[in-house]
Amino acid sequence: MIQKTKLPLTSTHWGTYRVRVSKGRVQELLSFEQDQDPSPIGSGIIDVHHGAMRVRAPSVRKSWLENGPGSNTDLRGTDPFIEVSWSEVEKLVANELNRVRKDYGNSAIYAGSYGWSSAGRFHHAQSQLHRFLNCIGGYTRSKFTYSFAAAEAMIPHILGSYREFLDTCTSWDSILENTGLCVCFGGIPLKNGQISQGGVGSHFQRQNLIAASKSNISFINISPVKADLLEEVGGEWLSPRPNTDTALLLGIAYTLHKDGLTDIAFLKKYTEGYEKFLAYVLGETDGIPKTASWAATICELDAETIENLAKKMSRNRTMISVSWSLTRQDHGEQPFWMAITVAAMLGQIGLPGGGIGFGYSATNFVGGQFTIPPAVPLPQGRNPISSFIPVARISDLLLHPNETFNFDGKEYVYPETKIVYWAGGNPFHHHQDLGRLMQGWKKPETIICNEWCWNSLAKRSDIVLPCNTPLEREDIALTPRDPYVVKMSRLTESFGESKTDFEIFQGISRAMGVESNFTGERTSTEWIEWLYEETRKRAVERGLAMPEYKKFDEEGWFKFSDPKENIVMLQDFRQDPVQNPLKTPSGKIEIYSEVVANFGYHDCPGHAVWREPCEWLGIKKKKFPFHLISNQPDNKLHSQLDHGSYSRAAKINGREPIHINSLDASKKSLKSNDLVLVFNDRGSCLASVVINEGIRPGVALMSTGAWYDPIDPTSERSTCKNGNPNVLTPDKGTSSLAQGPIAHTCLVDLTLIDKPMPKVTAYDPPRIIGNSRG
Ligand SMILES: Nc1nc2c(c(=O)[nH]1)N[C@H]1C(S)=C(S)[C@@H](COP(=O)(O)OP(=O)(O)OC[C@H]3O[C@@H](n4cnc5c(=O)[nH]c(N)nc54)[C@H](O)[C@@H]3O)O[C@H]1N2
Ligand SMILES: Nc1nc2c(c(=O)[nH]1)N[C@H]1C(S)=C(S)[C@@H](COP(=O)(O)OP(=O)(O)OC[C@H]3O[C@@H](n4cnc5c(=O)[nH]c(N)nc54)[C@H](O)[C@@H]3O)O[C@H]1N2
Ligand SMILES: [Mo]
């Protein structure tokens, strides 16, 4: 048997693996010897890689092929497909892009193409798509991410940048040495630390969390879900009503002020506009003092608990961790702004182990004590088209062309969309209110995607171009979010007629006469070496050692050496705010932002405020009794590999689990494993009940990821029999400022289903009726 360390490597968002291949197939993924806490998610790919759900040839929806663009768009999802040759499909796509460019202009091509795709820097599907479209005059793009759009728009106004501070969150090493108290909004969910975009060399969240709990650090998990903090860590569990964190933090702020616990010197030296915020806290501006008792009625915690928490935070070196989920809710700009404000009042920002952190364990990289690799991405060229949407406004774009929308202080217009092109993302996974997306999805004349499997997106497209998986292509994992650089080997032949995304766009660009612009006259192998060498040049400039490409290629991996000094967010700013000002108008932390105030948005004024979410447990005239939390799944990454054995093993009687507290179960006369309909006015889905005392009463927890599978695929509001919670979630922007998604703001009800329900068909391929090649 070959020694494990001699086996070829591959990299995924959920880890690096040594791969055992025989008989032309990947047989086993073995954890990388450097990985201290490997994730089991990877195993899900083996049984589906060569299965019936692979897209084996370019496939075109029957009505589109026979009657042209825009035909029977209501049949997307039910029409059968016809397989065509690559040369035929390349011509079809080229002609269609040319028709739309000529008649409507490039802004009529929406190719935001949001999504995680797979690891591997060169074959990053979205970058490949954007590079290709930039060669033919551009496209309408999307701005920001589903992960934390509210923070991406808001934090630059407060701290001058978001990404910069996300990438330099105070490291676990600094926490281990200095922190006394870790207050974790949304917990520190290890399930999420399994992944990191672009690849993971070694998972470090668990080891650090356990080490922290063994030292003298105490943890407080503030979350509707007890399991958001590892059982072994112990600590206290506070479960306020979901989406009330801002009110809780305001109650803490009031207490700090009342008890004289604010660091006035810090506020003076490093922040802007505290007085204006304080007037609001004291109720001088709206007549409502934001006392602990006021907060207590909103959060449903005791006032005493809130006051004690405030005092404990001021007594200790305190790290406040705010999970990214706090941004994916109505007014999701506010919790982060408020948490920064409280951290400033405590005066610990920029001190070792203190201040604020954005989502420890939201992905593996947060809090890493590693050197940020100066990773060079694939150049995408220039997009001359200025039209864009905030990423989660996709249904609005399709349903309301030529109408205006607000975003970050300006007004913009949605362009008209004729073509949607998606590569490396799945809107039928990620978007809210799928019934509404279904309405919008009928509007474009042509929908194209590159996919490797017949998931909910591929089934609802007009032209499906079969792409390779990472196991079928050579690539390089090289991301600023992980210190490991991994050479990914090509491990198996391409399934059916599938190609890499690069080859797919090479073929279309050839048909459009722009092949050499697109390829840059490099092969994929040459591009991989180019990315490495360009990164090495940057590394050398920064004094970072990196082996030559040949040596790296032979070894298979390389790790940047760790920095000697502990990483402490905003340490430079604290040490010298004049020499190292923030990139805000005042150069300081903007507790009050004149810029934001001048936008004049009621839903996002000039300092952090409590605004009632559009749906929450405290709403007047509550129609649906449960707050649905549709968090990230433990057993997969989003919708990827939902059809694989690892994900399917976690279903109960073939349906997605929904967790509720025993108090709610008895109110509803439900028991474990009961099949329920989860519903509200937007839609419904099926799920199997799990009774879980670690869920706050009034909360229902159902993770995302199940492939959308409506009982009646032609109906917009049909029950999803596979349990995709996005049939329930609202499609509304966080505020006029960020317009981010608000999946975690959602009320639902549950009812027992005591009759047999239709079987899940999500994992069956669509009907393919012959091929046009005879
Ligand atoms: N209710 C609810 N909804 C949510 C969230 C939530 O918390 N609750 N979270 C949101 C968040 S934070 C995110 S980031 C989004 C995630 O949403 P997405 O990133 O869109 O979800 P994925 O399932 O990862 O989609 C990636 C797609 O790329 C395909 N793919 C993989 N490799 C390749 C490749 O090499 N080439 C091509 N062409 N395709 C490939 C996969 O098959 C898959 O269909 O979901 C959002 N939606
Ligand atoms: N295994 C796995 N890991 C992943 C992903 C995946 O799909 N699978 N997706 C990755 C991606 S794209 C992202 S963006 C990150 C997201 O990282 P997070 O945003 O941290 O992920 P979530 O699981 O949505 O939320 C974390 C926890 O926040 C709690 N929560 C929800 N609403 C509230 C609230 O109003 N208040 C408080 N205090 N707590 C609340 C929920 O109980 C939830 O379990 O995860 C990444 N990690
Ligand atoms: Mo995300």
Side-chain angles (χ1 to χ4, degrees):
M1 188 177 279
I2 311 170
Q3 209 188 333
K4 183 180 158 187
T5 51
K6 297 277 181 253
L7 291 171
L9 286 163
T10 195
S11 173
T12 69
H13 298 308
W14 41 89
T16 302
Y17 299 92
R18 297 270 174 200
V19 188
R20 201 179 293 290
V21 184
S22 75
K23 301 183 196 127
R25 298 267 182 103
V26 168
Q27 305 289 348
E28 201 182 355
L29 300 180
L30 302 157
S31 49
F32 182 37
E33 59 280 6
Q34 295 280 311
D35 194 343
Q36 41 187 338
D37 182 26
S39 160
I41 291 179
S43 61
I45 197 164
I46 308 259
D47 56 314
V48 289
H49 196 260
H50 279 68
M53 291 303 280
R54 270 310 284 270
V55 184
R56 67 177 176 235
S59 304
V60 184
R61 187 170 68 83
K62 183 172 177 287
S63 304
W64 194 99
L65 188 65
E66 293 177 351
N67 306 319
S71 303
N72 305 99
T73 58
D74 53 334
L75 294 185
R76 286 183 180 131
T78 52
D79 233 356
F81 285 89
I82 297 171
E83 292 181 346
V84 301
S85 68
W86 275 109
S87 60
E88 194 178 338
V89 89
E90 283 159 5
K91 268 186 240 134
L92 286 175
V93 173
N95 289 344
E96 178 57 359
L97 288 168
N98 280 334
R99 177 186 77 88
V100 167
R101 282 198 301 163
K102 188 166 138 286
D103 293 351
Y104 306 96
N106 282 56
S107 64
I109 304 166
Y110 176 67
S113 188
Y114 180 77
W116 270 56
S117 189
S118 41
R121 181 64 25 169
F122 175 65
H123 292 290
H124 181 243
Q126 197 187 76
S127 308
Q128 292 285 350
L129 171 63
H130 293 166
R131 181 178 166 89
F132 160 65
L133 289 174
N134 286 339
C135 294
I136 61 157
Y139 58 95
T140 294
R141 69 202 155 92
S142 60
K143 227 173 158 174
F144 300 146
T145 66
Y146 275 73
S147 311
F148 36 47
E152 285 168 290
M154 187 75 240
I155 307 295
H157 294 297
I158 308 166
L159 297 179
S161 166
Y162 175 55
R163 288 283 176 177
E164 196 183 313
F165 301 115
L166 180 65
D167 287 352
T168 55
C169 276
T170 298
S171 71
W172 276 109
D173 294 39
S174 175
I175 292 177
L176 283 166
E177 288 167 25
N178 301 286
T179 305
L181 175 68
C182 216
V183 182
C184 319
F185 290 85
I188 299 198
L190 277 186
K191 69 176 176 64
N192 291 358
Q194 290 178 92
I195 64 101
S196 202
Q197 192 160 33
V200 183
S202 176
H203 293 83
F204 52 73
Q205 296 289 343
R206 181 187 304 273
Q207 186 212 32
N208 284 307
L209 189 56
I210 290 176
S213 71
K214 286 192 177 143
S215 67
N216 282 331
I217 306 174
S218 37
F219 284 83
I220 300 179
N221 174 25
I222 302 181
S223 170
V225 177
K226 188 164 187 238
D228 281 337
L229 190 65
L230 190 68
E231 179 101 39
E232 283 172 77
V233 171
E236 199 180 336
W237 177 38
L238 296 180
S239 59
R241 282 168 166 162
N243 294 195
T244 64
D245 305 271
T246 302
L248 171 56
L249 283 156
L250 278 163
I252 292 172
Y254 186 97
T255 309
L256 293 176
H257 173 77
K258 175 179 66 95
D259 292 356
L261 301 175
T262 42
D263 187 335
I264 303 292
F266 182 91
L267 289 167
K268 268 207 183 111
K269 189 166 176 193
Y270 299 101
T271 74
E272 176 70 20
Y274 175 67
E275 296 307 320
K276 290 199 175 77
F277 167 75
L278 185 62
Y280 168 76
V281 172
L282 298 177
E284 289 163 9
T285 48
D286 63 356
I288 306 168
K290 313 300 175 303
T291 60
S293 311
W294 167 85
T297 56
I298 293 172
C299 310
E300 279 192 342
L301 292 176
D302 296 333
E304 205 188 332
T305 305
I306 299 173
E307 290 188 335
N308 287 341
L309 178 57
K311 288 175 200 157
K312 206 166 167 186
M313 286 165 85
S314 87
R315 273 201 307 272
N316 281 283
R317 178 61 57 88
T318 298
M319 174 56 74
I320 304 173
S321 173
V322 277
S323 108
W324 301 351
S325 60
L326 268 58
T327 66
R328 295 198 301 287
Q329 50 178 261
D330 201 12
H331 308 117
E333 294 84 356
Q334 303 306 321
F336 274 32
W337 201 352
M338 197 50 228
I340 293 169
T341 302
V342 165
M345 291 172 80
L346 293 170
Q348 299 186 13
I349 293 176
L351 290 182
I356 180 118
F358 301 123
Y360 287 95
S361 199
T363 61
N364 186 59
F365 83 88
V366 182
Q369 174 68 28
F370 63 82
T371 303
I372 298 177
V376 170
L378 176 70
Q380 294 184 8
R382 204 182 72 80
N383 182 358
I385 299 298
S386 60
S387 56
F388 74 95
I389 59 166
V391 69
R393 301 275 47 85
I394 171 76
S395 295
D396 284 352
L397 166 77
L398 302 177
L399 290 166
H400 298 288
N402 304 315
E403 289 184 24
T404 56
F405 65 95
N406 286 310
F407 177 66
D408 205 13
K410 290 204 183 108
E411 204 173 76
Y412 300 89
V413 177
Y414 291 120
E416 201 157 344
T417 304
K418 298 292 173 188
I419 295 179
V420 169
Y421 201 138
W422 229 290
N426 181 359
F428 284 93
H429 160 71
H430 64 232
H431 194 55
Q432 282 57 68
D433 195 353
L434 292 178
R436 190 161 181 262
L437 180 64
M438 284 280 280
Q439 286 168 8
W441 206 246
K442 292 183 182 147
K443 302 282 179 185
E445 290 172 357
T446 299
I447 297 176
I448 312 172
C449 77
N450 297 4
E451 259 299 345
W452 67 273
C453 52
W454 281 112
N455 62 10
S456 44
L457 168 68
K459 284 182 182 169
R460 283 168 187 77
S461 299
D462 297 323
I463 302 179
V464 183
L465 304 176
C467 67
N468 284 165
T469 71
L471 303 180
E472 295 160 334
R473 64 196 185 208
E474 191 191 16
D475 210 334
I476 183 166
L478 174 58
T479 148
R481 306 257 148 75
D482 198 86
Y484 287 84
V485 186
V486 177
K487 181 68 199 294
M488 299 163 63
S489 298
R490 182 170 191 223
L491 300 157
T492 73
E493 294 293 313
S494 297
F495 179 88
E497 296 178 28
S498 64
K499 293 183 179 187
T500 64
D501 291 281
F502 175 68
E503 288 163 340
I504 293 173
F505 294 121
Q506 184 173 13
I508 305 168
S509 59
R510 189 180 308 129
M512 297 183 80
V514 293
E515 184 181 1
S516 62
N517 296 7
F518 171 70
T519 62
E521 298 184 343
R522 286 192 186 94
T523 63
S524 53
T525 310
E526 286 163 355
W527 267 115
I528 290 164
E529 184 168 348
W530 184 88
L531 292 173
Y532 184 91
E533 285 301 345
E534 288 300 304
T535 302
R536 203 162 76 92
K537 276 186 211 156
R538 280 202 202 170
V540 170
E541 280 165 23
R542 291 177 203 188
L544 302 171
M546 229 178 136
E548 295 205 343
Y549 184 73
K550 194 164 168 292
K551 180 150 186 281
F552 161 72
D553 196 21
E554 279 162 18
E555 299 278 324
W557 64 276
F558 156 76
K559 180 181 184 261
F560 281 93
S561 55
D562 294 337
K564 299 211 167 48
E565 301 273 306
N566 283 349
I567 298 165
V568 177
M569 190 209 281
L570 287 160
Q571 189 170 37
D572 289 357
F573 168 67
R574 184 174 188 118
Q575 278 163 1
D576 192 340
V578 177
Q579 286 300 314
N580 308 309
L582 300 182
K583 295 185 200 100
T584 53
S586 60
K588 298 181 177 184
I589 299 168
E590 303 227 338
I591 290 178
Y592 175 86
S593 162
E594 193 79 47
V595 173
V596 173
N598 286 339
F599 293 164
Y601 297 145
H602 173 73
D603 54 5
C604 191
H607 54 72
V609 290
W610 162 249
R611 289 275 184 271
E612 258 193 62
C614 56
E615 293 177 24
W616 67 298
L617 290 173
I619 200 167
K620 286 196 195 81
K621 293 202 192 129
K622 193 164 57 184
K623 198 165 161 195
F624 303 104
F626 289 93
H627 193 121
L628 177 75
I629 296 295
S630 50
N631 65 351
Q632 309 289 11
D634 177 23
N635 49 3
K636 55 187 164 277
L637 171 66
H638 313 135
S639 68
Q640 299 196 39
L641 302 178
D642 183 43
H643 59 322
S645 54
Y646 184 68
S647 169
R648 286 173 75 173
K651 316 245 173 191
I652 301 174
N653 300 325
R655 319 274 174 182
E656 252 334 274
I658 188 162
H659 293 242
I660 54 172
N661 188 282
S662 62
L663 293 172
D664 290 321
S666 48
K667 267 192 220 157
K668 290 268 164 193
S669 307
L670 293 170
K671 51 184 194 323
S672 293
N673 298 348
D674 275 350
L675 185 65
V676 286
L677 186 76
V678 191
F679 66 97
N680 60 20
D681 288 337
R682 287 176 290 269
S684 57
C685 66
L686 297 177
S688 295
V689 170
V690 177
I691 296 174
N692 180 342
E693 299 316 330
I695 303 289
R696 182 195 206 278
V699 169
L701 175 76
M702 190 175 176
S703 297
T704 58
W707 285 3
Y708 176 56
D709 190 19
I711 293 176
D712 174 2
T714 61
S715 159
E716 285 149 11
R717 303 277 169 199
S718 177
T719 298
C720 174
K721 49 192 193 280
N722 198 28
N724 182 327
N726 276 326
V727 296
L728 302 158
T729 52
D731 182 16
K732 173 189 171 298
T734 48
S735 82
S736 313
L737 189 128
Q739 297 283 11
I742 63 161
H744 283 316
T745 298
C746 180
L747 292 181
V748 299
D749 202 351
L750 310 180
T751 181
L752 179 73
I753 299 273
D754 53 7
K755 58 177 192 224
M757 290 306 280
K759 81 177 205 13
V760 169
T761 48
Y763 315 120
D764 298 337
R767 259 189 320 139
I768 296 175
I769 49 167
N771 64 59
S772 71
R773 292 166 291 182

